[in-house]
């Protein structure tokens, strides 16, 4: 078995039947018989994986041997996403981690203060790739005290009223016990997800 990249296609339709029709037409143009297909792999979006009208179901009507296998990495990301959505404290934690990144990255002066205190950068969080959230949480979990020092240093700048309120909110949250607890828990969870993701991708 050899895996080859074939093409990117610009396609605006979202229904499973339309996507399946486009894929079959392209295979036909390349003179690749779909009857030889023995597997399909997509993410877990209903238009791709749906058992009635998803691409995989539509294509299986033409070739029952084209078995569908969901993307394991996407399934793992969904596990992390659903686990986090179950707990308001976790939703707040990730929201504050993103808010921290946005606050410091919004100003070169603030970013410079952060890097001087922290010795490294903060990272924004991906909404879909949960394995990448580990890079956003790692500095927060490892350098909480230094982040607080950076927040205190920014407090000496001339800030707008909105930025001052935001800074107070960040200072209050990242000096709280719940922030330390969430950081300690989620760095372990996200590291495990990241390791498994890398294994799945190999």
């Amino acid at each position: 078995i050899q895996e080859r990249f074939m093409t990117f296609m610009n396609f605006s339709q979202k229904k499973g039947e339309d996507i399946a029709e486009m894929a079959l037409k392209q295979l036909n143009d390349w003179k690749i018989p779909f009857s030889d297909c023995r597997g399909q792999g997509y993410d877990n979006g209903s238009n791709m994986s749906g058992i009635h009208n998803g691409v995989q179901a539509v294509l299986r009507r033409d070739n029952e041997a084209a078995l569908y296998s969901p993307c394991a990495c996407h399934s793992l990301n969904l596990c992390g996403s659903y686990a986090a959505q179950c707990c308001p404290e976790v939703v707040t934690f990730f929201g504050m981690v993103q808010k921290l990144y946005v606050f410091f990255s919004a100003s070169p002066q603030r970013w410079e203060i952060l890097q001087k205190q922290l010795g490294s950068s903060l990272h924004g969080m991906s909404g879909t790739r949960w394995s990448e959230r580990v890079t956003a949480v790692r500095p927060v979990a490892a350098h909480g005290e230094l982040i607080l020092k950076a927040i205190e240093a920014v407090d000496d700048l001339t800030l707008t009223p909105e930025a001052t309120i935001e800074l107070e909110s960040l200072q209050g949250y990242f000096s709280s016990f719940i922030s330390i607890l969430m950081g300690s828990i989620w760095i372990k969870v996200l590291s495990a997800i990241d390791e498994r993701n890398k294994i799945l991708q190999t």
Side-chain angles (χ1 to χ4, degrees):
I1 297 170
Q2 291 186 330
E3 183 178 345
R4 291 194 182 96
F5 169 76
M6 302 297 280
T7 188
F8 281 117
M9 297 187 71
N10 189 10
F11 195 68
S12 59
Q13 301 300 314
K14 295 181 180 177
K15 290 184 181 175
E17 289 201 18
D18 295 329
I19 297 169
E21 186 181 317
M22 177 268 298
L24 288 172
K25 180 183 180 305
Q26 187 61 63
L27 288 172
N28 188 53
D29 290 348
W30 287 331
K31 297 185 173 31
I32 297 174
F34 182 63
S35 57
D36 287 347
C37 180
R38 292 297 178 270
Q40 306 178 63
Y42 314 112
D43 64 23
N44 294 294
S46 60
N47 64 337
M48 302 303 289
S49 65
I51 59 172
H52 299 297
N53 297 313
V55 172
Q56 67 94 9
V58 174
L59 292 178
R60 291 267 329 260
R61 289 178 208 147
D62 284 1
N63 177 5
E64 285 189 11
L67 300 174
Y68 166 65
S69 174
C71 171
C73 291
H74 190 245
S75 298
L76 184 58
N77 282 328
L78 286 177
C79 286
S81 181
Y82 291 141
Q85 288 171 16
C86 293
C87 179
E89 290 82 4
V90 178
V91 172
T92 301
F93 172 70
F94 284 121
M96 292 304 284
V97 169
Q98 181 65 13
K99 194 174 180 180
L100 183 72
Y101 167 75
V102 170
F103 178 81
F104 278 101
S105 64
S107 156
Q109 199 176 14
R110 294 179 212 164
W111 193 253
E112 188 180 340
I113 289 170
L114 174 81
Q115 290 191 313
K116 189 182 287 185
Q117 292 289 341
L118 207 58
S120 63
S121 295
L122 293 176
H123 300 275
M125 287 194 298
S126 168
T128 53
R129 292 188 59 80
W130 269 72
S131 59
E132 289 180 2
R133 289 195 174 203
V134 72
T135 59
V137 171
R138 188 175 286 124
V140 174
H143 306 295
E145 193 176 335
L146 297 177
I147 286 171
L148 283 173
K149 283 184 179 177
I151 289 170
E152 286 169 16
V154 169
D155 201 18
D156 294 336
L157 301 177
T158 304
L159 300 172
T160 64
E162 294 83 4
T164 302
I165 292 167
E166 208 168 318
L167 187 69
E168 287 171 2
S169 165
L170 291 169
Q171 189 168 26
Y173 183 78
F174 286 105
S175 58
S176 69
F177 174 72
I178 192 70
S179 159
I180 298 164
L181 180 65
M182 288 290 109
S184 301
I185 291 170
W186 278 94
I187 191 61
K188 291 178 181 177
V189 172
L190 291 168
S191 295
I193 290 175
D194 186 47
E195 286 170 20
R196 271 65 180 178
N197 239 338
K198 286 172 182 169
I199 292 165
L200 289 168
Q201 286 172 6
T202 57

